[in-house]
Structures are given as structure tokens and as C-alpha cells.
Amino acid sequence: FWLKSSRSFPEPRVLAHRTAMADAGAPKLAVVRQILGRTGSRGGVIQVKVEFTAEENPELKGRSLVRNVKGPVRQGDILALLETEREARRLR
């Protein structure tokens, strides 16, 4: 039998317009341009090169980073990155 929680969960917020996503805490969208290879002790992480999109964040337009992604990813996928300053170490 399941215990009912007395804790209430907040309703999900819906953003009114796209300019609300421009704040510093919002995720930045980046397109996967190249799959560089697998890394990690068991190969569960994929190293990719991403390029930031211009419409969401014009200050990062054209900038590319190498990132590690856990889970399935392929070329052309769009990632929502919370951290845009850190770059992954290259594969050896």
C-alpha cells in the first residue's frame, strides 16, 4: 500500500514569451555539429562539438565548444546547456 504525501508540489510555470529565456540562468541552446567519440570508463559518455544558436543568445553566436553528453545523441540534435564557459578535455 502507498502512503499519500502531505506535501504539495508547485504547478509548472509557463513562460509568457521568449524574452524571459534571455536571463543568465536560462539554458543556452547549442546544435551538435560533430561526434568526436566515446569516453568514460565504460564508454557511456559521448564527446561532441556543439555550436551555439544565434536566435536565443546572440552574444554566443558562432562559438563552439567540446562537451560530454550522457545518453544517446546524434549530429543535428539540439542541447540545452546550463554551463557555457566550461569545455571538456579532449579524448586521447
Side-chain angles (χ1 to χ4, degrees):
F1 98 99
W2 295 94
L3 295 174
K4 288 200 171 203
S5 174
S6 62
R7 200 170 84 181
S8 64
F9 295 100
E11 292 294 318
R13 292 183 293 157
V14 178
L15 296 176
H17 46 79
R18 292 174 72 90
T19 57
M21 299 260 317
D23 66 319
K28 308 291 190 278
L29 300 181
V31 179
V32 175
R33 292 293 176 207
Q34 184 181 7
I35 306 288
L36 299 176
R38 289 189 171 267
T39 186
S41 62
R42 296 190 178 129
V45 178
I46 302 171
Q47 199 164 65
V48 298
K49 180 173 262 192
V50 297
E51 186 176 307
F52 291 100
T53 58
E55 57 267 0
E56 290 290 327
N57 41 358
E59 70 276 0
L60 295 173
K61 178 184 176 184
R63 183 170 170 216
S64 64
L65 286 176
V66 174
R67 295 301 296 254
N68 292 330
V69 179
K70 185 170 181 170
V73 66
R74 59 183 169 189
Q75 200 167 353
D77 284 354
I78 297 176
L79 303 178
L81 302 176
L82 298 175
E83 176 66 46
T84 60
E85 299 299 319
R86 198 172 12 186
E87 188 163 3
R89 284 183 265 162
R90 302 276 178 166
L91 289 171
R92 291 182 224 166

